[in-house]
Amino acid sequence: MPRYYDTEITSRLMLGTAQYPSPAILAEAFKRSGAGIATVSVRREAGGERAGQAFWDMIGDLGAHVLPNTAGCHSVREAVTTAQMARELFDTDWIKLEVIGHADTLQPDPFGLVEAARILTDEGFKVFPYCTEDLVLCERLVEAGCRVLMPWGAPIGTGLGLNNVYGLRSLRAHFPDLPLVIDAGLGLPSQAAHAMELGYDAVLLNTAVAKAGDPVAMAEGFARALEAGRLGFEADPMEPRDMAAPSTPVLGRAFT
Amino acid sequence: MKITVNGTKQESAATTLDALLDELGYGAAKVATAVNQSFVPAAMRPEHRLADGDQIEIVAPRQGG
C-alpha cells in the first residue's frame, strides 16, 4: 500500500468531499469504497454561520486522513497563505498544492507550483502537488522537496481519463520509488484500473463519484477497479504482440 | 475605520483582529484568518492591530476535491 511522507495508507483511493447530493451519501461513499484519504478545502465563512464546524465534525467521522487543498488559487501568494490557514484549521501539515495557471483547463501553473512547493516545504509542509505529467516539472518539484507527485489524468471535472498514457508511463519509469497519484480527470472505473496497470500508486477522485447517478455504487466500483488493476500490475502482464499466436495447442490437431 | 472582510467593504470599531471576530459574531467558530494576504495565526489575533483599508479573510473548513 502507498506511503506518503512515512504514513502508510491502506487504500489506493483518495476521495474528494465536494458536490455530493447529501452528507449521508458522501459518508456512505467513503464507507463502501474504503477511501483512505479525504480531500477538503477552506472557504470564506460569515460570522455566526458555523458551517465549517459542522463540516469538520462530519469529516472526523469518515475515518480517513484529511488532505486539505489550495483549490482555486491562481498565485503563489494565495496558495501559500491558503495552505497556512488550512494547516491551522485541519491540524495537518499535508497540503494538496494547487496553483492554477489557466481558467479554461484549470491546468497547473508549473512555475508558480514549483515556487510555492519550495516555500511550503521550507515551512515544514508535506506537499502533494497537483501537476501535469511533464517530466521536467516533476523533477523540479522533487528538487523542491515533494515526496509524492499528483499528475492529472485529464483536466479537473472532465472525466476524460488518461489523456497522455505515454507521458504517465514515462513518469512512472523515471520515478520508480516515488508515490505517484493520478489526480483529476477520471470518469470511469476502467480508467482507474488503467492507472493501476501503469504502476501508479493511487488515484484521487471527486466529480466521477459525486456526480454519478449512484455515487455510492460508483465509489465501490472504483475501489474494485483499483484492486483489479493493481493485481494485474503486480501479476507481471504478458507482452503484447502484433501477430496472432494460438492459445490452444497446435500439436495433435485433427485433420493434419 | 474602513476595512474589507471576505470581499465586502465595511466599517468597524475593532482595533485588533481578535476584536473584529468578536464584533462580527464568530465567537468560538473554527476559522482561520489572513490580513492583506498574510496568514495571521489564531494565537496572534489579539495583538494583530488593524489599519484602515485592511483586507481580511476569514475562512473555515469546507468540502473540496
Side-chain angles (χ1 to χ4, degrees), chain B residues 19-43:
Chain B
L20 177 68
L21 289 177
D22 276 346
E23 183 184 283
L24 296 176
Y26 284 93
K30 190 173 182 61
V31 293
T33 49
V35 177
N36 300 327
Q37 292 202 20
S38 292
F39 172 56
V40 180

Side-chain angles (χ1 to χ4, degrees), chain B residues 3-7 9 34-38 51 53-57:
Chain B
I3 56 173
T4 301
V5 179
N6 284 348
K9 286 183 180 164
V35 177
N36 300 327
Q37 292 202 20
S38 292
D54 273 352
Q55 311 245 349
I56 295 126
E57 294 289 339

Side-chain angles (χ1 to χ4, degrees), chain A residues 16-18 39-53 55-56 69 77 81 84-85 88-90 96 206, chain B residues 6-7 24-34 36-43 45 57-65:
Chain A
T17 54
T39 55
V40 295
S41 192
V42 303
R43 286 294 180 264
R44 286 171 169 171
E45 176 154 297
E49 189 180 350
R50 301 292 190 276
Q53 184 66 54
F55 177 68
W56 173 249
N69 68 28
R77 182 78 182 269
T81 302
Q84 292 165 332
M85 292 194 289
E88 183 178 88
L89 278 178
F90 293 105
K96 181 192 160 192
N206 194 155
Chain B
N6 284 348
L24 296 176
Y26 284 93
K30 190 173 182 61
V31 293
T33 49
N36 300 327
Q37 292 202 20
S38 292
F39 172 56
V40 180
R45 287 177 201 152
E57 294 289 339
I58 305 169
V59 300
R62 283 292 188 283
Q63 296 82 352

